[in-house]
């Protein structure tokens, strides 16, 4: 290891002022902002470390006696240029308190997410659900104080309730006082000599609780509902976070959704398609009469007003749109076949031909018809 006196270019009996002057001169020459080379960077580290040791009387005495040195020894040692910034501004995430204020044990709780599965009928009208949530709740024993009943936190005798301690360090600017979190109370300014046995001094415990939820009509898969203040209670009884409900709607065997409308397929026999009829179908909110006009065609869409979904923001329900699927008989006896042949002769139906494709509403139902 290089000799610290040689690194700074001073004699072994150099005064502290001489050591400071030598360090300042070399620091200006080798600082990475001035001299970005790798060799200069390594020399800067050596110079800084040598100054750390020789500028501290205790470390210098130990070094002169052949006891070696430590990059972290002494009250004001720096182990590199980054440590200077950590000393003045605190290491990342160090929890230092600006202005010397102690930390509060009470913090806001985390948000929680619960997934709820609904049926299509629940979406049409909305539904009430009682949801079991595994979350953090207030400790009933200490009521968030974190202390055993009958005891209270006591002022830290190291930082005297400030949550921080002052430390004097040497720098290029001279001696500087810095504030750092107190290691004894972790910056809270108080200690808890008798933590609550139920929550281990956290002020909260894990438990299952029931949340009553009114899910509005019109929700859809992927939608998240926010319940402010229904999430986890914070440490030391801090305010609750929020609860988010993520919705999944299961597919229905008969109906599908298109915005606020419901889609369905109605199978109609050939005689009913020709002659027309009236039938009753079961919608999601009960039976409803449906008139099939004579001569209805496959792919025609019959609309039943206000039997769809109530929108999430609004009151006017969508429609129930029913696509017609004319069922052609595949098995005929001799008499039935003769009747159909006679019908064909009488109507003189044209031969099959290609016709103009009509997009219309049928396009949204065609996949269901193909199935």
């Amino acid at each position: 290891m290089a000799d610290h006196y040689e690194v700074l270019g001073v004699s072994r009996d150099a005064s502290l002022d001489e050591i400071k002057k030598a360090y300042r001169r070399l620091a200006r020459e080798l600082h990475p902002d001035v001299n970005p080379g790798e060799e200069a960077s390594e020399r800067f580290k050596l110079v800084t470390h040598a100054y750390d040791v020789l500028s501290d009387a205790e470390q210098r005495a130990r070094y002169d006696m052949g006891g070696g040195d430590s990059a972290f020894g002494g009250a004001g040692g720096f182990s590199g240029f980054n440590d200077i910034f950590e000393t003045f501004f605190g290491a990342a995430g160090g929890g230092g308190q600006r202005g010397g204020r102690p930390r509060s044990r009470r913090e806001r709780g985390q948000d929680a997410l619960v997934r709820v599965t609904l049926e299509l009928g629940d979406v049409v009208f909305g539904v009430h659900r009682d949801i079991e949530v595994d979350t953090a709740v207030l400790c009933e024993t200490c009521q968030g104080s974190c202390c055993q009943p009958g005891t209270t936190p006591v002022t830290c005798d190291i930082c005297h309730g400030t949550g921080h301690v002052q430390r004097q360090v040497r720098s290029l600017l001279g001696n500087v006082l810095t504030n750092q979190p107190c290691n004894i109370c972790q910056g809270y300014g108080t200690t808890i000599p008798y933590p609550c046995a139920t929550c281990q001094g956290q002020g909260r415990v894990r438990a299952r609780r029931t949340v009553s939820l009114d899910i509005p009509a019109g929700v859809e898969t992927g939608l998240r509902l926010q319940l402010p203040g229904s999430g986890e209670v914070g440490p030391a009884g801090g305010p609750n976070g929020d609860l988010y409900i993520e919705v999944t709607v299961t597919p229905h065997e008969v109906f599908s959704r298109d915005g606020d409308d419901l889609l369905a397929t109605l199978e109609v026999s050939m005689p009913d398609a020709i002659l027309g009829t009236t039938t009753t179908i079961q919608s999601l909110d009960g039976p409803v009469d449906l008139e099939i006009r004579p001569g209805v065609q496959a792919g025609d869409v019959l609309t039943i007003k206000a039997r769809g979904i109530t929108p999430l923001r609004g009151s006017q329900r969508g429609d129930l749109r029913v696509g017609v699927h004319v069922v052609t008989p595949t098995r005929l006896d001799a008499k039935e076949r003769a009747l159909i042949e006679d019908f064909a002769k009488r109507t003189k139906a044209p031969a099959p031909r290609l016709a103009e494709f009509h997009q219309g509403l049928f396009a949204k139902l065609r996949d269901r018809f193909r199935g």
Side-chain angles (χ1 to χ4, degrees), residues 254-267:
V254 175
F255 301 99
S256 61
R257 181 175 181 176
D258 181 28
D260 293 330
D261 292 340
L262 289 175
L263 308 180
T265 301
L266 182 68
E267 294 184 345

Side-chain angles (χ1 to χ4, degrees), residues 8-304:
L8 292 177
V10 296
S11 63
R12 301 190 72 85
D13 58 351
S15 65
L16 181 58
D17 287 339
E18 291 175 330
I19 292 173
K20 286 182 179 180
K21 290 179 182 179
Y23 174 63
R24 290 169 181 165
R25 175 178 53 79
L26 291 171
R28 285 193 294 269
E29 176 186 342
L30 302 172
H31 192 281
D33 290 342
V34 178
N35 196 339
E38 184 176 349
E39 181 179 351
S41 177
E42 292 299 320
R43 283 192 61 199
F44 180 77
K45 293 178 182 179
L46 290 175
V47 167
T48 301
H49 180 51
Y51 173 74
D52 292 343
V53 175
L54 299 185
S55 62
D56 183 85
E58 220 175 295
Q59 289 192 74
R60 182 178 182 181
R62 186 165 59 250
Y63 179 78
D64 289 341
M65 294 174 62
D69 62 271
S70 169
F72 300 94
F78 300 121
S79 62
F81 193 72
N82 288 337
D83 288 340
I84 297 176
F85 284 94
E86 290 183 2
T87 300
F88 287 107
F89 304 106
Q97 302 302 306
R98 293 185 178 181
R101 299 177 183 176
R103 294 171 55 190
S104 173
R105 296 184 188 276
R106 298 183 77 252
E107 297 179 6
R108 182 183 183 274
Q110 292 185 340
D111 296 336
L113 174 66
V114 176
R115 293 179 172 86
V116 175
T117 301
L118 304 177
E119 297 180 354
L120 189 58
D122 300 329
V123 174
V124 174
F125 310 107
V127 65
H128 177 84
R129 287 287 180 86
D130 290 329
I131 303 172
E132 294 291 324
V133 181
D134 183 7
T135 184
V137 299
L138 185 69
C139 176
E140 294 184 356
T141 302
C142 69
Q143 294 297 309
S145 71
C146 305
C147 304
Q148 284 282 23
T151 68
T152 58
V154 297
T155 302
C156 176
D157 57 3
I158 300 299
C159 67
H160 305 293
T162 63
H164 69 278
V165 292
Q166 288 189 334
R167 180 181 178 187
Q168 181 173 300
V169 295
R170 295 184 182 88
S171 72
L172 296 175
L173 306 175
N175 293 333
V176 178
L177 286 178
T178 65
N179 287 328
Q180 296 184 348
C182 175
N183 291 330
I184 302 301
C185 66
Q186 305 302 315
Y188 294 116
T190 59
T191 59
I192 300 178
Y194 303 104
C196 174
T198 302
C199 62
Q200 309 300 317
Q202 297 299 310
R204 59 180 183 169
V205 294
R206 302 297 301 186
R208 294 188 68 83
R209 62 185 176 94
T210 301
V211 176
S212 293
L213 176 65
D214 289 319
I215 301 177
V219 297
E220 56 187 333
T221 295
L223 181 71
R224 286 189 177 184
L225 304 174
Q226 182 182 9
L227 298 182
S230 294
E232 294 191 348
V233 69
N240 290 63
D242 297 337
L243 176 63
Y244 290 88
I245 308 297
E246 186 174 274
V247 174
T248 298
V249 182
T250 57
H252 195 275
E253 293 181 355
V254 175
F255 301 99
S256 61
R257 181 175 181 176
D258 181 28
D260 293 330
D261 292 340
L262 289 175
L263 308 180
T265 301
L266 182 68
E267 294 184 345
V268 179
S269 68
M270 183 180 292
D272 286 340
I274 295 172
L275 302 175
T277 187
T278 299
T279 187
T280 300
I281 64 173
Q282 289 293 329
S283 68
L284 287 176
D285 52 341
V288 58
D289 293 334
L290 179 62
E291 182 179 353
I292 302 171
R293 67 181 182 276
V296 70
Q297 301 294 309
D300 283 353
V301 176
L302 310 179
T303 300
I304 304 173

Side-chain angles (χ1 to χ4, degrees), residues 295-319:
V296 70
Q297 301 294 309
D300 283 353
V301 176
L302 310 179
T303 300
I304 304 173
K305 293 292 185 180
R307 288 298 180 113
I309 295 174
T310 303
L312 186 61
R313 295 177 179 84
S315 58
Q316 186 173 359
R317 289 180 62 178
D319 300 330

